[in-house]
Amino acid sequence: MQPPDASGYGRPIEEQEAEDLLRCICFKNGPPRTVGVELEWLIHDQRNPRQPVAADRLAAAHDRVRTLALNSALTFEPGGQLELSSPPAGSLMECVDSVAADLHTVRSALRRVDLTLTGLGLDPWQTPRRVLRAPRYDAMEAYLDRTGPSGRAMMCNSASVQVCLDSGEEEPGPLGHGRRWQLAHLLGAVLIAAFANSPAREGRWTGWRSTRQAVWADLDAVRPVSPPLHREPRAAWASHALDAPVMCVREDGVPWHRPAALSFREWIRTGAHRPPTRDDLDYHLTTLFPPVRPRGHLELRMIDAQSGPDGWVVPLAVVTALFDDPEAAETVYRTVKPLAEYAGTQPAPTNPLWQNAARLGLADPELHATAVSCFDTALEALPRIGASTAVCDAVAAFHERYVRRGRCPADDLRIPSLRPAAGVCGKEPGR
């Protein structure tokens, strides 16, 4: 347990205090100025990616990468996936250049031990295998096992491109935080469909373009779900976070205490096991996995990891252009607003809009038409936000290869060794 201290992190937290903190710390307002990206990668053998990398070999590779001088924060996920989290950058190109340099350094180090970074939303071959042992991951695995196997697949086999943007201005308008919150939840479905890159799982085609998104949506009834969009964002998020179940109660001993059914609000009111603190609230927020997570900035978590050395640049550039250029933000909001009727009253990612985006990709006619307009708008805005010719060309090439043709990266994957999924008529998705 945390000892009491003067900061308030060690003393019990009151319910009103928790609500006030959630409103303040999760939606910090101001003109959008910074952008960041978090890149997750699978680590595979360079010559035989279907062969599992031995745990000791993976641990040695992790140790090698930890010695590198990087601008990005380096972490590893429970299944051994590597994550680079950029520092906040003052522009799109500052972010791109910084992360590209780090990736070059990491790839060079891994290449020397015959390993490579693979950009796919979900490992198409391996069954989930946890290589990191820590009380946090023990508790998470035990909690998610209650609802089925998707939790282990999420923890050990998934990878993504997460774009981080400022929450936005206080006042209404194209850069206001309320508008950006709504935009993220509608445009998010378009991003899933356009960048879907995980059509297989554990040796089988699944029938989904983004099996990663299907896995995340299946974790449980609360953790991967967004709060109601018809409510004011701060109030909606505060209620959602406090009413979400507590995954675990951290303590000195192991395993950590795992309450069967206890929301954070109930924990505050009852003091069950021990009273929660501000530090417990901060930790609780890290165990919630909605597709758009407010963390002082907006963290867009719905995009599959992208193939190729620079595939990640395209979603980063598109999202930044559509959110941070005022003209593009106004245009794209009008473009995606009709999707609200498609989504219906259910939250993301369980509503029809998000489900069909993950399953069908841009084969869905409405998502296809919307994506074409969104990419056209992004391409117009990129020069205005200082994007280089190379970045503009990469977005334009992706637009021509995939978006205009109603296709996504999953439709191009060719992995002959995979088996058809049950009930998918013996065909890979999109063929």
Side-chain angles (χ1 to χ4, degrees):
M1 299 184 191
Q2 299 295 315
D5 60 39
S7 70
Y9 276 77
R11 60 171 174 78
I13 192 170
E14 301 293 333
E15 187 172 341
Q16 187 59 54
E17 180 186 4
E19 290 194 0
D20 291 344
L21 284 168
L22 287 168
R23 291 167 183 263
C24 293
I25 65 178
C26 294
F27 286 92
K28 294 179 181 176
N29 294 125
R33 291 193 176 98
T34 61
V35 59
V37 67
E38 300 176 14
L39 302 180
E40 296 173 337
W41 301 88
L42 306 170
I43 298 180
H44 285 149
D45 182 88
Q46 202 162 234
R47 296 180 177 83
N48 185 5
R50 288 183 294 171
Q51 181 68 30
V53 179
D56 58 346
R57 185 182 176 198
L58 199 55
H62 289 178
D63 290 342
R64 171 182 285 265
V65 175
R66 286 190 184 98
T67 66
L68 302 175
L70 304 172
N71 292 316
S72 303
L74 171 71
T75 53
F76 296 98
E77 298 299 318
Q81 310 98 303
L82 181 149
E83 179 176 329
L84 290 175
S85 300
S86 74
S91 69
L92 169 64
M93 291 313 304
E94 180 185 332
C95 184
V96 168
D97 292 343
S98 173
V99 176
D102 285 344
L103 277 171
H104 175 75
T105 301
V106 170
R107 285 196 177 102
S108 297
L110 291 178
R111 194 178 302 118
R112 296 188 191 101
V113 291
D114 294 324
L115 294 174
T116 188
L117 298 178
T118 300
L120 293 171
L122 201 71
D123 194 305
W125 299 288
Q126 309 305 328
T127 57
R129 177 195 58 162
R130 187 155 65 95
V131 298
L132 298 188
R133 298 291 163 182
R136 168 184 172 87
Y137 297 133
D138 293 344
M140 183 180 294
E141 184 179 90
Y143 176 92
L144 295 174
D145 277 351
R146 297 171 185 170
T147 54
S150 291
R152 295 194 181 205
M154 175 276 286
M155 292 174 65
C156 301
N157 285 21
S158 68
S160 66
V161 175
Q162 299 177 18
V163 182
C164 301
L165 301 164
D166 288 329
S167 297
E169 298 174 341
E170 179 65 32
E171 60 269 15
L175 301 182
H177 76 279
R179 173 75 69 85
R180 287 162 76 86
W181 181 247
Q182 295 281 337
L183 175 60
H185 286 87
L186 295 174
L187 180 63
V190 180
L191 299 173
I192 289 172
F195 296 108
N197 193 33
S198 52
R201 176 182 179 183
E202 297 183 35
R204 286 185 178 275
W205 299 105
T206 64
W208 294 74
R209 264 63 170 199
S210 178
T211 309
R212 172 189 169 275
Q213 182 58 45
V215 162
W216 279 83
D218 193 46
L219 293 182
D220 69 10
V222 178
R223 303 202 105 76
V225 173
S226 67
L229 291 185
H230 65 272
R231 297 185 60 193
E232 190 277 325
R234 291 190 184 98
W237 177 250
S239 295
H240 179 77
L242 288 178
D243 292 331
V246 173
M247 180 176 284
C248 57
V249 177
R250 297 172 300 161
E251 49 196 354
D252 292 334
V254 291
W256 289 350
H257 178 61
R258 302 163 192 164
L262 179 72
S263 71
F264 201 92
R265 192 187 303 276
E266 292 168 337
W267 190 14
I268 292 174
R269 292 176 176 178
T270 65
H273 194 67
R274 65 167 176 81
T277 67
R278 163 78 184 272
D279 198 36
D280 289 316
L281 177 61
D282 291 345
Y283 179 80
H284 174 65
L285 296 178
T286 70
T287 71
L288 303 180
F289 311 119
V292 183
R293 187 162 65 178
R295 303 185 65 185
H297 57 270
L298 298 183
E299 184 181 79
L300 278 67
R301 303 170 50 85
M302 72 289 295
I303 303 170
D304 280 357
Q306 297 297 290
S307 303
D310 302 316
W312 59 275
V313 172
V314 177
L316 172 61
V318 169
V319 173
T320 305
L322 295 180
F323 271 82
D324 286 359
D325 178 78
E327 183 180 340
E330 183 64 37
T331 300
V332 77
Y333 182 73
R334 292 197 302 266
T335 300
V336 301
K337 194 173 181 180
L339 294 178
E341 184 175 349
Y342 189 163
T345 58
Q346 293 299 309
T350 58
N351 62 49
L353 172 66
W354 282 63
Q355 289 284 296
N356 283 339
R359 186 186 294 276
L360 303 175
L362 294 184
D364 179 286
E366 190 166 354
L367 283 165
H368 176 215
T370 304
V372 170
S373 296
C374 290
F375 269 72
D376 286 341
T377 301
L379 282 166
E380 293 174 1
L382 281 169
R384 295 197 295 265
I385 65 170
S388 68
T389 300
V391 168
C392 293
D393 288 348
V395 174
F398 188 97
H399 191 17
E400 293 300 324
R401 179 175 180 177
Y402 294 116
V403 180
R404 287 197 187 283
R405 298 170 61 202
R407 295 174 64 79
C408 60
D411 294 321
D412 272 1
L413 288 178
R414 297 289 188 270
I415 313 177
S417 61
L418 297 186
R419 304 183 302 278
V424 188
C425 304
K427 296 181 180 179
E428 307 115 62
R431 305 304 194 275

